[in-house]
Amino acid sequence: MAGILREIKIATQQRIAMVDVTADLKKAVAESGIKEGILLAGVLHTTAGMTVNENADPDVVRDLLMHLEKMVPEKGGYRHAEGNSDAHIKATLVGNSVTIPVSKGALVLGTWQGIYFCEFDGPRQRKIMVRVMG
Amino acid sequence: MAGILREIKIATQQRIAMVDVTADLKKAVAESGIKEGILLAGVLHTTAGMTVNENADPDVVRDLLMHLEKMVPEKGGYRHAEGNSDAHIKATLVGNSVTIPVSKGALVLGTWQGIYFCEFDGPRQRKIMVRVMG
Amino acid sequence: MAGILREIKIATQQRIAMVDVTADLKKAVAESGIKEGILLAGVLHTTAGMTVNENADPDVVRDLLMHLEKMVPEKGGYRHAEGNSDAHIKATLVGNSVTIPVSKGALVLGTWQGIYFCEFDGPRQRKIMVRVMG
């Protein structure tokens, strides 16, 4: 059984950022009425991604974004004329969606797990599509 | 409800390449008859992967493949005797499958999103397995 | 139809390691009774991940872990006070779950594909959550 497809809108404020969307996704699960299944949350963009990482110390997110920048510098001898090739590369490295189990009507997450929208070419208006399947 | 499992065959022509398989996956969704759900497309290989990225400017794909080569050089002091460790590493970085929402009988994709098979040790005959769930 | 949510416990022995959990996941599929669908296996942690890679030559796993260490060194000028930022970054690069088709009551895997739990900050007691959907 597929719950209705939901859309979450995000307005990012910086070129690179990670936005914790765990609360929005928990709400989508609750509203779906689905008790046992999975949640898929994916971006509609090619310069942004989704990941699961620590939601406690904000330095984890900072270190992750800084190290991605070191691995994939904004200026790197790319050919793509828009000048945001680094954002496309980071999007593929991080991945464009996450899939999380749902049980007893709730997301199954570890103590320190948060679900993040990853912006690599903001600030922009962004969309996440959310599907809960039971 | 699980649609039938479909297989897409791909013959790659170079050692590294990204092949746009969006049209094949759209066809698989249409043929499944499933209106609301998800699509899973995964490779049966360990030196290839799947990703979502821009389908407009071919320089995006070129920059992505070139930068992956810079991050994971073909010759890198690896121990694996087959000499394709870089391809195995790239496969894990990119990921071996993508999952995309299906709604109104169609893949839910953003304007610039294409779905790519990523070859990292071609040329070879390759297979993608496709599952649509409703 | 969602099979029951299963938990696989893993005790890792080293700081970084890849543990082949294919047999455990095959067993979960068999016990679910689901014939056609998908399997989701995800970690409950933010310094570990899941990936699909070669299960034949152990040098593939060795090369993968060594190259990840080269790309994301343990000591790298990070700010996170726990000192395991590299593990968080590797977890996001590898991804926190894998999704695999199920057909005829079995995982659909290529000849050389194994499914690995990836430890990046062990040794620790770890958990994988497994959901089979039909």
Side-chain angles (χ1 to χ4, degrees), chain A residues 71 79-80 85 92 131, chain B residues 36 51 57 62-63 67 102:
Chain A
M71 289 169 57
R79 197 181 294 179
H80 178 44
S85 283
T92 276
R131 170 69 87 200
Chain B
E36 299 295 324
T51 198
D57 178 0
R62 177 204 163 270
D63 287 344
H67 199 77
V102 170

Side-chain angles (χ1 to χ4, degrees), chain B residues 71 79-80 85 92 131, chain C residues 36 53 57 62-63 67 102:
Chain B
M71 288 169 59
R79 197 181 293 179
H80 179 43
S85 283
T92 277
R131 171 68 88 199
Chain C
E36 300 294 325
N53 221 306
D57 178 0
R62 177 204 163 273
D63 286 345
H67 199 77
V102 170

Side-chain angles (χ1 to χ4, degrees), chain A residues 1-5 38 40 42-47 71-73 76-82 84-85 87-89 91-97 99 129-131 133-134, chain B residues 1 18 35-39 51-55 57 59-60 62-64 67-68 70-71 93-95 98-104 108-114 133-134:
Chain A
M1 181 182 65
I4 65 164
L5 190 68
I38 59 174
L40 168 68
V43 301
L44 284 186
H45 313 282
T46 58
T47 53
M71 289 169 57
V72 191
Y78 310 112
R79 197 181 294 179
H80 178 44
E82 278 189 81
N84 61 353
S85 283
H88 288 284
I89 297 164
T92 276
L93 291 176
V94 162
N96 90 307
S97 72
T99 308
M129 303 309 291
V130 183
R131 170 69 87 200
M133 301 273 297
Chain B
M1 183 180 66
M18 287 172 63
K35 298 301 178 194
E36 299 295 324
I38 60 173
L39 169 139
T51 198
V52 175
N53 220 307
E54 183 178 317
N55 61 0
D57 178 0
D59 277 343
V60 169
R62 177 204 163 270
D63 287 344
L64 177 48
H67 199 77
L68 279 175
K70 196 180 284 186
M71 288 169 59
L93 291 177
V94 162
V98 293
T99 309
I100 310 284
V102 170
S103 189
K104 299 176 187 168
V108 179
L109 290 172
T111 313
W112 309 107
Q113 286 186 313
M133 301 275 296

Side-chain angles (χ1 to χ4, degrees), chain C residues 102-123:
Chain C
V102 170
S103 189
K104 298 174 186 168
L107 285 176
V108 179
L109 291 172
T111 313
W112 308 106
Q113 286 185 313
I115 305 171
Y116 289 91
F117 174 85
C118 305
E119 173 65 84
F120 297 125
D121 192 32

